[in-house]
């Protein structure tokens, strides 16, 4: 596989051509790195599932360069979804909408709905625009990690996760560290009211400012949509993650800066606020693994902002007692 660290017009054009040929291109987004394939090419999409080791009935998010392309993939789009797209795209938000025939079963996991996102990252947007200029309709991209593991927030993380699975014709675009650091907010827009399926940087509070219609909070047990991010254990490092209990000497420790490091603990991160907490969380969990730390103790951040999404991910990766 080639790692492209200077993303210029010509290397991005080459990456878009690779996608058109059915190869895989891992690329940066503002949330996490995605493992991209032509969303209309069944064989290419099957390779995503193989590389990730992900069950093939789990749907993928299709990335497009602008709201202008939404109608190609989705139909019967409710007015509230248009409002959300106008307010938050490009940005860390995925909308689940009724699909058109372009969104085939191998993208949607046989469901009648498709997930769509316009990412806010110069490299991702340039790649999408170039791919569309070459006749492409959208890039399917899950987070570029092995199934159930921690999402990558840098090109190096992508190599650590799936480097050994990629082929010589595949590419990894290096666009620096993902600024948001956790995956997009997913909103089910197939019902009368929008339902947040996965919290993210676009918070309920931000959404409520844009919509007059009531916003609901969903979960996998309450809904009929399949989403591995909503499964019980996900986003997990090799180390065991604890959110409560007592810390042992040699354990890793992640908490907001103002929390004092307990005696004997190995401090893995000291974010100054919740935004920085989201940015560095996955990197800190990876650091635990690279230091061969067996247990990590995390003091979950407080607050109703992106802290909600951080607590969601922590609860998913935490060791259940
Ligand atoms: O921030 C993100 O969303 C990143 C970047 C790369 O865009 N992508 C990402 O993809 O997190 P993934 O596949 O790791 O997580 C997307 C989640 C999965 O849990 C998937 O099942 C769910 O979205 N999803 C995708 N399409 C869906 C659909 N049609 N219905 C229900 N859930 C869907
Ligand atoms: Mg994922």
């Amino acid at each position: 596989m080639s790692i492209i660290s200077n993303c210029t017009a010509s290397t991005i054009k080459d990456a878009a051509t690779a996608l058109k040929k059915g190869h895989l291109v891992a690329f940066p987004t503002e949330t996490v790195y995605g493992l991209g394939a032509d969303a209309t090419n069944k064989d290419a999409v099957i390779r995503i599932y193989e590389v990730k080791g992900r069950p093939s009935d789990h749907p993928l998010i299709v990335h497009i360069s602008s709201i202008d392309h939404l109608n190609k993939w989705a139909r019967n789009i409710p007015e509230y979804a248009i409002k959300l797209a106008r307010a938050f795209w490009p940005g860390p938000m995925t909308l689940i909408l009724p699909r058109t025939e372009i969104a085939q079963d191998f993208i949607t996991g046989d469901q009648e709905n498709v997930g769509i996102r316009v990412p806010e990252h110069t490299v991702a947007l340039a790649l999408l625009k170039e791919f569309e200029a070459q006749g492409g309709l959208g890039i399917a991209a899950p987070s570029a990690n092995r199934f159930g593991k921690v999402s990558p927030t840098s090109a190096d993380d992508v190599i650590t996760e799936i480097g050994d699975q990629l082929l010589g014709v595949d590419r990894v675009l290096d666009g620096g560290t993902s600024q948001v650091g956790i995956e997009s907010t997913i909103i089910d827009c197939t019902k009368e009211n929008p339902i947040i399926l996965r919290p993210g940087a676009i918070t309920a509070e931000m959404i409520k400012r844009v919509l007059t219609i009531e916003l609901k909070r969903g979960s996998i047990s309450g809904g009929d949509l399949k989403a591995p991010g909503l499964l019980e254990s996900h986003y997990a490092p090799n180390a065991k993650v604890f959110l409560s209990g007592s810390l042992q000497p040699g354990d890793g420790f992640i908490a907001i800066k103002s929390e004092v490091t307990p005696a004997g603990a190995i401090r893995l991160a000291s974010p100054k606020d919740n935004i920085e907490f989201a940015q560095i969380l996955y990197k800190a969990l990876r650091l635990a693994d690279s230091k061969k730390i067996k247990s990590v103790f995390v003091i979950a951040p407080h607050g109703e902002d992106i802290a909600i999404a951080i607590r969601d991910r922590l609860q998913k990766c935490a060791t259940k007692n």
Side-chain angles (χ1 to χ4, degrees):
M1 137 259 327
S2 11
I3 303 164
I4 316 293
S5 49
N6 62 330
C7 293
T8 61
S10 96
T11 55
I12 283 180
K13 192 169 179 182
D14 165 78
T17 307
L19 283 169
K20 282 293 289 170
K21 285 184 182 158
H23 307 320
L24 301 184
V25 175
F27 62 96
T29 84
E30 81 282 31
T31 56
V32 298
Y33 273 64
L35 177 61
D38 179 346
T40 62
N41 181 331
K42 186 175 184 179
D43 292 337
V45 170
I46 286 172
R47 274 206 59 222
I48 290 186
Y49 287 105
E50 287 169 358
V51 167
K52 279 186 64 84
R54 171 165 163 162
S56 60
D57 62 345
H58 286 257
L60 298 176
I61 297 173
V62 176
H63 297 69
I64 54 176
S65 73
S66 121
I67 188 176
D68 298 343
H69 300 291
L70 187 56
N71 285 321
K72 292 177 185 158
W73 291 94
R75 61 187 173 80
N76 294 345
I77 304 170
E79 201 186 304
Y80 69 76
I82 301 284
K83 280 190 189 159
L84 290 173
R86 291 224 174 95
F88 299 118
W89 278 349
M93 177 187 75
T94 298
L95 301 181
I96 309 292
L97 291 158
R99 66 172 171 178
T100 64
E101 69 284 2
I102 289 177
Q104 297 177 62
D105 286 348
F106 57 82
I107 285 293
T108 68
D110 295 333
Q111 300 177 86
E112 291 308 315
N113 308 312
V114 62
I116 306 285
R117 181 163 108 83
V118 180
E120 185 173 30
H121 191 289
T122 337
V123 172
L125 285 173
L127 179 68
L128 284 162
K129 288 206 178 94
E130 182 56 40
F131 182 68
E132 287 159 0
Q134 294 185 27
L137 294 175
I139 301 178
S143 52
N145 51 278
R146 296 282 297 169
F147 182 62
K149 293 293 172 187
V150 179
S151 296
T153 53
S154 72
D156 283 348
D157 297 347
V158 174
I159 308 295
T160 308
E161 281 288 322
I162 56 166
D164 59 341
Q165 305 286 320
L166 295 176
L167 304 176
V169 286
D170 300 327
R171 313 258 189 298
V172 177
L173 300 182
D174 185 349
T177 303
S178 296
Q179 283 307 295
V180 174
I182 54 173
E183 307 79 0
S184 61
T185 305
I186 300 182
I187 307 170
D188 178 2
C189 301
T190 65
K191 311 261 166 30
E192 206 160 313
N193 292 81
I195 307 168
I196 296 190
L197 295 180
R198 179 175 74 180
I202 303 298
T203 61
E205 200 179 303
M206 291 161 75
I207 294 167
K208 283 178 191 156
R209 260 183 254 139
V210 171
L211 301 182
T212 44
I213 189 167
E214 191 200 345
L215 174 69
K216 299 185 172 172
R217 178 73 214 270
S219 74
I220 190 70
S221 50
D224 50 353
L225 295 170
K226 286 177 275 183
L230 304 171
L231 294 179
E232 278 289 280
S233 177
H234 213 72
Y235 313 107
N238 298 328
K240 287 185 168 182
V241 175
F242 296 96
L243 304 179
S244 60
S246 60
L247 184 143
Q248 307 297 319
D251 285 356
F253 183 69
I254 301 172
I256 207 99
K257 200 171 178 174
S258 53
E259 294 281 352
V260 177
T261 311
I266 302 166
R267 186 98 190 201
L268 297 168
S270 306
K272 66 174 184 303
D273 55 25
N274 292 346
I275 290 182
E276 200 174 287
F277 208 123
Q279 280 170 348
I280 55 80
L281 176 63
Y282 290 163
K283 192 60 107 188
L285 293 175
R286 283 178 189 284
L287 184 61
D289 284 351
S290 66
K291 287 181 178 291
K292 307 241 180 313
I293 292 172
K294 295 274 179 294
S295 301
V296 180
F297 193 90
V298 187
I299 299 186
H302 301 290
E304 298 304 305
D305 51 7
I306 199 169
I308 293 176
I310 299 171
R311 293 196 295 269
D312 168 78
R313 304 306 190 274
L314 286 172
Q315 275 147 19
K316 300 248 158 58
C317 76
T319 300
K320 315 277 182 297
N321 292 310

